[in-house]
Amino acid sequence: MRGLGKLTLYNLKLYLREPMASFFTLLYAPMMLVLFGSIYGNEPSPMFGGRGTVDVSVPAYIALVIVTVGLISIPIGTASRRETGVLRRFRATPLRPLTYLVADVAVYFAVTALGVLLLVATGKIGFHLKFQGNVLSVALGFILGMSAFTALGYVVAGLSPSGRAAQAIGMFVAFPFMFLSGATVPLEALPAGVRSVAQFIPLTHVVTLLRGLWTGGSWGSFGKEIAVLVGVLVVGVAVSAQTFRWE
Amino acid sequence: MAVLEVAGLRKAYGPVVAVDGVSFAVEAGEIFGIVGPNGAGKTTALECVEGLRRPDAGQIRVLGLDPQADGPALRERIGVQLQQAALPDRLKVWEALDLFSSFYLRPADPKALLDRLGLTASAKTPVSKLSGGQRQRAHIAMALINQPELVFFDELTTGLDPQARRVTWDLVRDVRSEGKTVVLTTHLMEEAERLCDRVAILDHGQIVALDTPAGLVRRYAPEERLSFTATPPCPLQVLKALDGVTKVESEGDRITVLGTHPQLVGQVVTALTASGVAFQDLHTAQATLDDVFLTLTGRQIRD
């Protein structure tokens, strides 16, 4: 694992130096929360079973940060590094492929977690966000969702011929995911037809799991969500291992 | 002692045979050039040697190692500058060096390396903001960060202006003077001639000649070229009859004599004086590797 520390450090710096990537990872979800929180407040609402809009939105927006990094940042980052020859240059050094992958994944997890912390802090400070779950349990739910979407991100990167194509494919997949899964607009506010389509979107299961764990739900009641996400993770890892290319 | 031995190397991409049975050996401490036109197979041959491509056939030993089987151990000891490779745009020069030094067991001192390559002033510049010459020097820095015994440069000066090219040549000579072996590819015959101790000329995936630049010229383009202006009439027949003269051309009042005799100049001057011809503006030129390539392939290398 020689080179892991420095590679992680510089990958992190490089990520934060990309204005678009850092905006959508760190600031977009908190800004949405401020916007909709200011409009709807966080008073208990019958539509959300007596919970406030902010209380329901925060765990859903966590999924929004996950999908942004997973389906947009990872494909663009990986495919453009491949296209420009950065990966080729690394390959001419003794750096092990596994070390490269670990550093890469660590940074995507770190920036996503940072985005989530900023989101939660915004909710706490601005809107008296209520949390009834277990921190460790929610953290595990985050890790499961993020793992599944990280794997999907490398699949998109592997299937894309270029950085531009990765961006196009990533966004083409990510936007319907964002709006039909309950990650931006709560599922309760969507028509029944959309809700049934949403069941086929992996992100919906991240939203459901995180919203459930946020309010103290137990892992046992989310068997379907866990099964879907573990399935996406396993298939994603298998496919991305087959499609990953250094050049 | 050979630090690099290649025997019967062959690599095809589908139906296109890029490298077709290439054999050569590189001695410790020399600058060895693989020259040829674009598409001759230079880069493919080099990348097989570096372990980045798997050859279809042939044996390769680099520093006694097999590039495919001993990849990580070999990459520890060689320096590589690739033709198509990049550093992340927003990474600063010193950061790139710091990062790459962490990949190796015994890295060089990054500060000293930056200084030597004239990059100290641009150490905090992002890679994307470097000039062509600076970027190429940054790539050289990455290739030298592990104190390699053997360094590969692939089309190092392509796209550089003449000034930057000269600076880069001096850097390559410096690398060799530290006792390292250098293997480079170029499509610039002038570069090969000025820089390389020995040159392998590659065409259509095969080595068509291999020797020192002077040896190649002696063997394949031994003619010296002498030209002067003279007021007509000039006794062209007298010049043609001189020993070793192969060709006499005239264009207006400019006469060009080609010949292989060691005393070509003396002979011509004596003959002109004896005939009472006033001449001026006399130049001589040795043949170059460009002429060698033309003799060997019937084509200009730039075609």
Side-chain angles (χ1 to χ4, degrees):
Chain A
M1 284 283 157
R2 188 151 29 99
L4 180 65
K6 285 279 163 76
L7 189 58
T8 308
L9 171 73
Y10 286 119
N11 272 351
L12 182 62
K13 284 190 173 194
L14 287 168
Y15 193 95
L16 297 176
R17 281 176 196 169
E18 292 287 343
M20 290 296 276
S22 17
F23 172 78
F24 281 102
T25 308
L26 304 178
L27 302 179
Y28 183 61
M31 278 173 56
M32 296 253 300
L33 191 68
V34 169
L35 179 66
F36 288 105
S38 321
I39 296 171
Y40 298 109
N42 197 20
E43 300 312 310
S45 152
M47 184 161 104
F48 301 127
R51 300 178 203 288
T53 301
V54 169
D55 295 339
V56 172
S57 296
V58 167
Y61 287 179
I62 292 176
L64 188 64
V65 184
I66 289 175
V67 76
T68 306
V69 174
L71 289 185
I72 300 178
S73 295
I74 293 180
I76 294 177
T78 304
S80 58
R81 277 191 169 189
R82 185 181 62 215
E83 192 179 8
T84 55
V86 171
L87 294 187
R88 223 170 113 70
R89 186 61 192 86
F90 284 145
R91 218 183 130 215
T93 74
L95 180 71
R96 307 275 171 159
L98 183 64
T99 309
Y100 178 82
L101 193 68
V102 170
D104 217 33
V105 171
V107 167
Y108 290 125
F109 268 72
V111 292
T112 312
L114 190 59
V116 169
L117 288 177
L118 287 172
L119 173 68
V120 171
T122 306
K124 286 261 182 209
I125 295 164
F127 305 97
H128 306 292
L129 170 69
K130 285 184 283 298
F131 177 67
Q132 296 145 304
N134 174 311
V135 174
L136 190 65
S137 179
V138 172
L140 282 175
F142 164 78
I143 288 170
L144 176 60
M146 184 61 197
S147 302
F149 275 83
T150 298
L152 275 186
Y154 286 109
V155 170
V156 174
L159 296 176
S160 305
S162 67
R164 276 169 184 279
Q167 180 171 10
I169 297 171
M171 287 190 169
F172 185 77
V173 179
F175 278 109
F177 275 31
M178 286 176 184
F179 294 104
L180 303 179
S181 64
T184 38
V185 184
L187 278 179
E188 291 87 338
L190 294 171
V194 174
R195 280 209 294 268
S196 55
V197 171
Q199 291 309 307
F200 297 97
I201 295 177
L203 193 64
T204 307
H205 303 288
V206 180
V207 175
T208 309
L209 177 65
L210 289 175
R211 274 182 63 176
L213 297 174
W214 192 265
T215 52
S218 76
W219 280 75
S221 44
F222 298 103
K224 182 176 71 176
E225 284 73 19
I226 295 162
V228 169
L229 294 176
V230 169
V232 168
L233 174 61
V234 170
V235 172
V237 168
V239 174
S240 57
Q242 287 301 310
T243 55
F244 186 85
R245 287 164 291 145
W246 288 98
E247 54 188 275
Chain B
M1 187 194 75
V3 290
L4 167 60
E5 289 171 290
V6 175
L9 175 63
R10 191 190 137 89
K11 174 75 185 176
Y13 303 108
V16 182
V17 181
V19 177
D20 189 6
V22 160
S23 304
F24 62 91
V26 176
E27 300 297 317
E30 71 175 336
I31 301 181
F32 186 89
I34 301 174
V35 309
N38 293 328
K42 306 185 297 290
T43 296
T44 300
L46 206 61
E47 290 181 349
C48 288
V49 171
E50 293 161 349
L52 295 174
R53 291 191 192 283
R54 186 181 292 275
D56 298 332
Q59 286 83 47
I60 303 175
R61 301 299 282 181
V62 186
L63 302 170
L65 299 169
D66 175 344
Q68 288 300 322
D70 314 313
L74 178 61
R75 290 195 287 275
E76 190 70 55
R77 294 170 60 192
I78 61 173
V80 173
Q81 172 264 329
L82 299 161
Q83 195 182 347
Q84 278 161 355
L87 297 165
D89 275 351
R90 291 177 199 267
L91 200 60
K92 293 169 186 167
V93 173
W94 76 267
E95 293 176 332
L97 216 48
D98 185 38
L99 174 62
F100 275 69
S101 65
S102 77
F103 298 159
Y104 295 97
L105 281 171
R106 34 174 220 113
D109 173 20
K111 271 208 175 73
L113 197 52
L114 284 176
D115 199 38
R116 206 178 114 197
L117 293 171
L119 287 168
T120 305
S122 31
K124 289 181 179 166
T125 308
V127 170
S128 61
K129 297 259 192 319
L130 295 174
S131 72
Q134 288 171 329
R135 183 168 315 167
Q136 214 53 314
R137 293 207 299 280
H139 279 289
I140 297 177
M142 301 310 139
L144 298 178
I145 189 65
N146 57 327
Q147 313 194 49
E149 297 155 60
L150 172 59
V151 191
F152 296 96
F153 294 126
D154 194 3
E155 295 280 353
L156 186 60
T157 65
T158 299
L160 297 188
D161 61 57
Q163 168 67 20
R165 184 167 285 158
R166 267 162 228 284
V167 172
T168 310
W169 288 347
D170 283 338
L171 289 171
V172 174
R173 291 191 191 103
D174 283 352
V175 170
R176 191 264 298 276
S177 66
E178 291 178 336
K180 301 182 198 302
T181 309
V182 176
V183 176
L184 60 85
T185 70
T186 180
H187 67 283
L188 298 170
M189 287 296 184
E190 188 197 355
E191 179 164 293
E193 203 155 345
R194 287 179 176 234
L195 213 47
C196 298
D197 299 311
R198 288 194 307 139
V199 166
I201 297 180
L202 202 63
D203 191 38
H204 297 305
Q206 296 181 325
I207 292 181
V208 292
L210 194 167
D211 200 349
T212 61
L216 289 171
V217 168
R218 227 173 12 248
R219 181 150 166 214
Y220 296 103
E223 285 175 334
E224 192 175 357
R225 174 183 291 260
L226 179 152
S227 71
F228 56 90
T229 52
T231 326
C234 182
L236 297 183
Q237 292 309 322
V238 174
L239 296 177
K240 268 181 195 159
L242 291 172
D243 189 23
V245 168
T246 49
K247 201 173 182 186
V248 178
E249 295 166 342
S250 69
E251 195 183 332
D253 61 354
R254 186 103 201 139
I255 317 287
T256 303
V257 180
L258 283 86
T260 53
H261 195 284
Q263 272 87 47
L264 183 69
V265 182
Q267 279 191 322
V268 170
V269 169
T270 308
L272 290 173
T273 312
S275 315
V277 177
F279 62 93
Q280 51 192 331
D281 198 14
L282 184 137
H283 296 277
T284 65
Q286 288 291 330
T288 64
L289 284 182
D290 283 308
D291 302 305
V292 171
F293 188 81
L294 182 66
T295 308
L296 284 166
T297 67
R299 305 191 315 279
Q300 298 279 355
I301 190 160
R302 285 176 239 287
D303 289 353

